[in-house]
Amino acid sequence: MQLEDFFDYKNKLMEDLLTNERIVELVGEDVSLEDAKQLAYTQVFPCEYVPETAGVGKTFVCFDVDIQKSESKTFYAPYMYIWVFAHRSRLRLPEGGVRTDAICSEIAKAIDGSRYYGLGQMELYSVKRFAPMTDFNGKVMTFRMSEVKRFYDPSNPHPTNRKTG
């Protein structure tokens, strides 16, 4: 795996979130699916982000990818973190339930088991409480993946101070 694969994962997740009608409805409330791209970098961020202030109650989804460890000489173990949080004024859904729970449920439906992230299927690992600042509550979702390491290119010459055999 090269580090640019992280960009691919994050771009794919941004696409998956902003083309899902129910997720867009829950995050953007007054934003149509056709206008969902306007949520990118305003309420949906491909990095860990907590707004300094939010004058109007809003809902946010942020995500990032880490490599926690190298499973072996062949595989990495990347983890994707998705933070879903909302101002307390936006938590209660009109039809009942909690907005952040509904968003997490929709995200899990959309990407848990997906083969577009890493090698094999992406697996939901945990969902935990998350309160980034006063008056905001939410969840952090963690997904596990597996990815093949890409080793050096053998056509590159060895340094002159190293043995080759």
Side-chain angles (χ1 to χ4, degrees), residues 32-86:
S32 69
L33 191 58
E34 294 77 32
D35 297 328
K37 287 186 179 184
Q38 76 183 32
L39 295 173
Y41 294 93
T42 59
Q43 289 178 253
V44 179
F45 293 86
C47 57
E48 186 174 3
Y49 174 80
V50 177
E52 288 185 30
T53 60
V56 177
K58 288 189 177 185
T59 302
F60 297 90
V61 177
C62 308
F63 49 91
D64 214 336
V65 180
D66 289 340
I67 295 176
Q68 293 292 325
K69 65 178 184 168
S70 181
E71 290 182 344
S72 66
K73 290 185 177 189
T74 308
F75 295 99
Y76 284 122
Y79 285 72
M80 180 177 284
Y81 298 96
I82 304 174
W83 296 272
V84 177
F85 55 101

Side-chain angles (χ1 to χ4, degrees), residues 86-117:
H87 187 269
R88 66 183 168 110
S89 66
R90 310 297 330 148
L91 287 174
R92 185 175 179 184
L93 290 171
E95 65 273 15
V98 178
R99 182 175 308 278
T100 53
D101 292 344
I103 294 169
C104 288
S105 177
E106 293 299 324
I107 291 171
K109 285 181 203 174
I111 67 171
D112 189 26
S114 174
R115 294 184 180 273
Y116 290 106
Y117 303 89

